[in-house]
Amino acid sequence: MDLKLKDVAELLNVSETTVRRWVSDGKIPYYRLNQQYRFSRSEVENWVLSCKQGKEDFSPFDQEEEGEVGKERLGTHQFGLYRAIHKGGVYTNIPGKTKEEVIRNAMKEIAGALKLDAEVITELLLDREQLMPTALSNGVGVPHTRDFLLQESFDVVAVAFPEHPIEYGALDGEPVHTLFFLFACDDKRHLHLLAKLAHLSSKPENLAYLRSSPSKAQLMDYIKNWETSVVKMKGSREPSLV
């Protein structure tokens, strides 16, 4: 229970009023301590993963906002996903007929660049999958470990496109065509990036683009434009990059 209401609002890029409404409606897991709301990072993570994105389902990433999203909430995060993909890279045509095979084969290419042992990281990723599949809706998966492994001050998202869509255990039953391997530095940055990926995968035009298996340069341009558009849609002043 390490997150306050303002933390959840910041990380999910919504207003505090919206989070209070989710609490009131019983849509988000929470606790009440000393008359204040508290949230568990792991429970909010599972909630983000389990929220369906269809038009008839509740989605936390397509809500009406009450007023302007302030610069202080978006400034340092605006291009967080762009930077993380720049560090992590894009890998195409990953072979494998099962989730386990694709994750294992992807790590053979990705782990070395992160200075991690491919076998060890694979087992940690699969261990997390056994707890709960890390699939978002609409064919996107976000494999990650329960612990933070990078001894760096930056986050990494490595994007992998399997040769063929794979069964992943997603709640909507959709095969996964895109994997975002998420390696964040701490709880808050992990949750922020997970929420961004869930938001990204909630839009049909973004999903259509991901299915085309773009190159790193193409995907980074797309993500940068998308992150900029999210800020503009929220009515925020464009913050400086830091």
Side-chain angles (χ1 to χ4, degrees), residues 85-92 214-222:
I85 293 175
H86 174 68
K87 294 287 186 182
V90 175
Y91 302 81
T92 58
S215 67
K216 180 178 180 180
Q218 292 170 332
L219 181 60
M220 288 184 63
D221 281 345
Y222 189 92

Side-chain angles (χ1 to χ4, degrees), residues 119-148:
E119 287 298 321
V120 171
I121 189 65
T122 296
E123 294 308 315
L124 291 173
L125 289 166
L126 295 179
D127 180 62
R128 175 63 182 84
E129 293 296 330
Q130 290 178 356
L131 291 177
M132 175 183 175
T134 60
L136 300 166
S137 298
N138 304 319
V140 174
V142 190
H144 57 271
T145 63
R146 286 186 285 175
D147 300 312
F148 301 107

Side-chain angles (χ1 to χ4, degrees), residues 9 13 42 49 52 55 81 86 103 159 165 170 176 178 192 195 205 211 213 222 233 235 241:
N13 192 24
S42 61
L49 288 170
K52 295 182 179 180
K55 291 183 179 180
L81 183 56
H86 174 68
I103 288 177
V159 186
V176 163
T178 304
H192 172 75
E205 61 273 20
R211 288 191 184 96
S213 300
Y222 189 92
M233 283 191 298
L241 294 179

Side-chain angles (χ1 to χ4, degrees), residues 41-206:
R41 193 275 291 178
S42 61
E43 290 182 1
V44 175
E45 173 189 303
N46 289 339
W47 176 74
V48 170
L49 288 170
S50 63
C51 281
K52 295 182 179 180
Q53 306 299 330
K55 291 183 179 180
E56 298 180 357
D57 298 304
F58 169 74
S59 168
F61 310 107
D62 192 23
Q63 304 294 304
E64 291 289 336
E65 279 304 307
E66 309 83 353
E68 182 176 311
V69 174
K71 178 178 178 180
E72 69 277 2
R73 280 219 269 129
L74 289 173
T76 60
H77 291 313
Q78 182 185 356
F79 293 106
L81 183 56
Y82 173 86
R83 292 192 188 96
I85 293 175
H86 174 68
K87 294 287 186 182
V90 175
Y91 302 81
T92 58
N93 296 318
I94 303 297
K97 296 181 179 180
T98 66
K99 172 168 64 172
E100 291 75 12
E101 289 178 356
V102 168
I103 288 177
R104 194 172 299 278
N105 289 330
M107 280 303 102
K108 290 178 181 177
E109 298 192 39
I110 296 170
L114 301 180
K115 299 179 182 178
L116 298 172
D117 183 280
E119 287 298 321
V120 171
I121 189 65
T122 296
E123 294 308 315
L124 291 173
L125 289 166
L126 295 179
D127 180 62
R128 175 63 182 84
E129 293 296 330
Q130 290 178 356
L131 291 177
M132 175 183 175
T134 60
L136 300 166
S137 298
N138 304 319
V140 174
V142 190
H144 57 271
T145 63
R146 286 186 285 175
D147 300 312
F148 301 107
L149 304 176
L150 296 182
Q151 304 300 314
E152 306 289 351
S153 60
F154 52 80
D155 308 309
V156 172
V157 172
V159 186
F161 297 110
E163 282 183 336
H164 307 285
I166 54 171
E167 165 58 34
Y168 209 88
L171 291 176
D172 63 356
E174 289 285 331
V176 163
H177 54 77
T178 304
L179 294 173
F180 292 93
F181 288 88
L182 173 56
F183 303 99
C185 295
D186 57 42
D187 281 349
K188 290 185 177 182
R189 288 162 73 164
H190 171 89
L191 186 56
H192 172 75
L193 285 170
L194 180 61
K196 267 203 168 180
L197 291 169
H199 191 178
L200 178 75
S201 68
S202 71
K203 307 301 179 184
E205 61 273 20
N206 298 338

